[in-house]
Amino acid sequence: MSINNLLHFEAIITQNILSPWLLDSQSRLSLLRLDLLHPIISGNKWFKLQFHLAHAVQNNAKIIATFGGAYSNHIVAAAFACQQSGLPCVGFIRGEQSQELSHTLRDAMSYGMQLRFVSRTLYREKENIMQQYPHYYWIPEGGYGITGAKGAATILSHVPNLDSYTHIVAATGTGTMLAGLIKGANSKQQVIGISVMKGNTALEQSVHQLLDGNETASFHIEHDYHFGGYAKHPPQLIEYINQCWKQFHLPLDIVYTGKAFYATEQMIRQHTIPAGSNVLFIHSGGLQGNLSLPVGTFPFS
Ligand SMILES: *Cc1c(COP(=O)(O)O)cnc(C)c1O
């Protein structure tokens, strides 16, 4: 498909982090920079969309439809990817239309996505909405599902010396990317998901539902690094992200990667990830989400 030619797979190759806490634990930490894949469809969202778009084209789908909130990385990625694939698309957006559209929604519209605003009550009943438009090709909210996980499983095929890593860490929302990473990892590797939601006790089950039993890697989910809940960003997190930019020239976002990178540092410091490990952190993108912050909050983005 033509989009693949737009993507900078050569740019995402790992960055090594140097820091006293890594020296102390005699561990190594590399980052897979999916944020550098493309300025618009950055991060994991393209991987989760790729097989949906391929199916839609194969099945002659006329219109793609999906769900998301006003700051959704998935909405922007879907809008752009559909435009590039020549597929019209509709985004069902949670909540009433506000006076001023978010940058996310403005961008999505500029890539040709048609927006339909749905009250929060109706949004909860997604099945009803889908039934009203049976001829659409539906992509679940956030790209959750087996098709998305299959796409996410291809992420690790871009990692040189993949087998040398002992741990693979990534931010987790719906669990789709995590399921893909578990599929792509080997039996000696530990996959660790950092849940960005507060008390999302259904997450383990959601991940298991996307696995088929042939996976050999072990995995677990950390639930204590949500910083107050989904998209919550207390000053401590803002400060941490600024510090990572200064120290490592690493841009992080407030919803996903900032929390996951913080968790990775803590796990290495506290030896939850044992000394002598070789850790791969997946930078899953999402930097557009920082545009919801006041200008100047971070020197990047
Ligand atoms: C969507 C997203 C995630 C979470 O992916 P899931 O497959 O929903 O778990 C992680 N990081 C970023 C930057 C994202 O946009």
Side-chain angles (χ1 to χ4, degrees):
M1 202 190 316
S2 63
I3 301 189
N4 266 315
N5 302 331
L6 294 176
L7 302 179
H8 306 292
F9 289 109
E10 74 293 343
I12 66 178
I13 301 310
T14 52
Q15 168 185 358
N16 291 313
I17 294 289
L18 293 175
S19 192
W21 43 268
L22 284 165
L23 286 176
D24 284 348
S25 108
Q26 297 183 356
S27 290
R28 286 190 297 160
L29 174 59
S30 307
L31 310 186
L32 185 68
R33 294 288 305 271
L34 299 185
D35 57 312
L36 299 175
L37 193 61
H38 185 271
I40 299 159
I41 18 176
S42 94
N44 68 1
K45 295 299 185 278
W46 157 249
F47 290 94
K48 297 201 289 181
L49 285 167
Q50 58 181 327
F51 291 125
H52 280 296
L53 295 178
H55 288 174
V57 170
Q58 271 161 23
N59 295 315
N60 262 318
K62 297 285 177 284
I63 298 176
I64 307 284
T66 191
F67 296 98
Y71 298 97
S72 162
N73 296 328
H74 167 70
I75 286 289
V76 183
F80 187 79
C82 285
Q83 183 190 50
Q84 293 301 317
S85 308
L87 291 162
C89 72
V90 183
F92 287 79
I93 309 300
R94 182 181 59 235
E96 308 296 341
Q97 180 167 4
S98 59
Q99 286 255 308
E100 204 181 331
L101 285 185
S102 68
H103 60 84
T104 303
L105 296 181
R106 284 201 304 270
D107 286 351
M109 267 176 83
S110 75
Y111 308 134
M113 180 181 265
Q114 197 191 108
L115 304 182
R116 304 223 189 116
F117 292 87
V118 182
S119 73
R120 278 161 202 273
T121 319
L122 290 177
Y123 191 86
R124 272 182 225 119
E125 313 292 329
K126 294 189 191 62
E127 289 295 328
N128 286 344
I129 301 175
M130 289 164 70
Q131 276 163 19
Q132 286 169 41
Y133 305 95
H135 55 293
Y136 287 0
Y137 181 99
W138 285 97
I139 301 176
E141 180 176 35
Y144 177 78
I146 290 183
T147 308
K150 205 177 119 201
T154 67
I155 290 175
L156 292 181
S157 68
H158 298 282
V159 179
N161 300 319
L162 175 62
D163 286 343
S164 68
Y165 295 99
T166 56
H167 296 73
I168 299 168
V169 187
T172 304
T174 64
T176 309
M177 171 171 58
L178 196 70
L181 296 173
I182 297 164
K183 285 177 181 298
N186 73 35
S187 61
K188 299 197 189 87
Q189 293 171 323
Q190 269 268 352
V191 181
I192 305 175
I194 311 302
S195 175
V196 298
M197 286 172 217
K198 189 171 173 176
N200 183 6
T201 50
L203 188 50
E204 276 82 357
Q205 190 52 34
S206 305
V207 173
H208 273 295
Q209 277 166 5
L210 303 180
L211 302 177
D212 58 18
N214 291 320
E215 298 80 7
T216 58
S218 51
F219 84 95
H220 79 269
I221 296 172
E222 295 282 334
H223 289 278
D224 293 332
Y225 296 103
H226 53 73
F227 282 82
Y230 184 74
K232 295 277 190 294
H233 48 277
Q236 184 205 1
L237 179 65
I238 302 286
E239 167 61 25
Y240 181 73
I241 292 176
N242 266 312
Q243 202 188 311
C244 287
W245 175 254
K246 271 190 217 135
Q247 278 181 32
F248 311 123
H249 222 72
L250 175 64
L252 296 167
D253 82 288
I254 54 170
V255 182
Y256 294 102
T257 55
K259 296 176 183 182
F261 194 76
Y262 176 83
T264 306
E265 176 178 337
Q266 293 308 312
M267 288 188 294
I268 291 172
R269 281 181 183 275
Q270 295 162 10
H271 301 293
T272 319
I273 294 178
S277 295
N278 189 17
V279 182
L280 178 67
F281 177 85
I282 310 294
H283 190 315
S284 43
L287 295 170
Q288 69 94 27
N290 288 348
L291 295 173
S292 66
L293 298 168
V295 177
T297 304
F298 301 128
F300 58 90
S301 82

